[in-house]
Amino acid sequence: MVELGVNIDHVATLRQARRTYEPDPVRVAIVCENGGADSITVHLREDRRHIQDRDLRLLRETVAVRLNLEMACEDEMIRIARSVRPDQVTLVPEKRQEVTTEGGLDVAGRIDVVRRCVEQLLEVGIDVSLFVDPESAQIDASAATGAGAIELHTGAYAAANHRERPGKFAALELAGARAIASGLALHAGHGLNYHNVLPVARLDGMHELNIGHAIVSRAIYTGMEQAVREMKRLITS
Ligand code: PXP
């Protein structure tokens, strides 16, 4: 069955808008679990614009499902991950000025650096997933790093208009099949919402979807537990 990772960064973004103590992502993570989340995902960014070190530590102590930490392939982050020990790290590229993660990790272009990060995480028992664009070269390079999974960047598919979308979806299908054939677990995320998620959830071998913006947005209307429950029902239908 496809698993749902709920990305709760936006909860921390709202809190940081006032530098106060609410809403608390730690409390929201528990509500997400009640709604059926299979994992909780947070991105600890170098500039700490949303999730804080305190959040990560407390989530590690409180989350009962899997904890997935998105982070850059940097020494500081590797140190933090090795100390906090999330169940999984998803390595992502990170630029200071970007609004959100813009492209996939260039594993093919930086394979030695990525392989070194992967090794340091695997060494302490953390599963590793690499967030990559749906391109053959990136999938093949990912398999060569020793990582156990890739997360396909679905941003281009999600942003495509109805004419472009079949082509973008075909790229996901091809890349997904290549990942599975290489023995990698298949994850996907970015820009997925209640309208575009189903074809991605039904890709052969899909194991995990990481979804944030759409769920937190819907939660404004319906409450978080209900928003998570609706997405879980949809991706497992
Ligand atoms: N996966 C990765 C690697 C991401 O960086 C993000 C955004 O933080 C997501 C999934 C979730 O994207 P969205 O918020 O658009 O659902």
Side-chain angles (χ1 to χ4, degrees), residues 102-158:
E102 282 168 359
L105 191 62
D106 183 13
V107 185
R110 298 179 69 209
I111 188 151
D112 291 338
V113 177
V114 177
R115 189 186 279 126
R116 176 99 191 92
C117 289
V118 171
E119 282 168 1
Q120 287 176 287
L121 296 165
L122 291 178
E123 196 176 77
V124 294
I126 301 170
D127 294 339
V128 184
S129 176
L130 305 177
F131 182 58
V132 292
D133 290 323
E135 296 166 4
S136 308
Q138 299 298 345
I139 308 296
D140 296 349
S142 298
T145 64
I150 51 131
E151 179 174 328
L152 289 180
H153 191 328
T154 49
Y157 159 80

Side-chain angles (χ1 to χ4, degrees), residues 7 9-10 41 43 45 50 68 70 90-93 100-102 131 151-152 154 188-193 209-215:
N7 181 314
D9 292 348
H10 280 5
T41 296
H43 185 172
R45 296 186 76 103
H50 39 56
N68 175 33
E70 287 179 11
T90 301
L91 291 173
V92 299
T100 181
T101 313
E102 282 168 359
F131 182 58
E151 179 174 328
L152 289 180
T154 49
H190 215 286
L192 296 177
N193 60 37
L209 297 177
N210 284 298
I211 306 178
H213 185 85
I215 292 176

Side-chain angles (χ1 to χ4, degrees), residues 19-48:
R19 303 260 189 285
T20 178
Y21 58 87
E22 65 182 1
D24 189 344
V26 179
R27 203 167 149 185
V28 171
I30 294 167
V31 179
C32 293
E33 289 180 349
N34 291 341
D38 299 291
S39 56
I40 299 297
T41 296
V42 291
H43 185 172
L44 187 67
R45 296 186 76 103
E46 186 195 1
D47 63 9
R48 305 299 197 271

Side-chain angles (χ1 to χ4, degrees), residues 74-93:
E74 304 287 348
D75 287 347
E76 183 205 7
M77 290 299 154
I78 297 284
R79 230 181 359 262
I80 292 171
R82 283 173 61 104
S83 150
V84 174
R85 306 274 175 106
D87 300 282
Q88 176 173 281
V89 160
T90 301
L91 291 173
V92 299

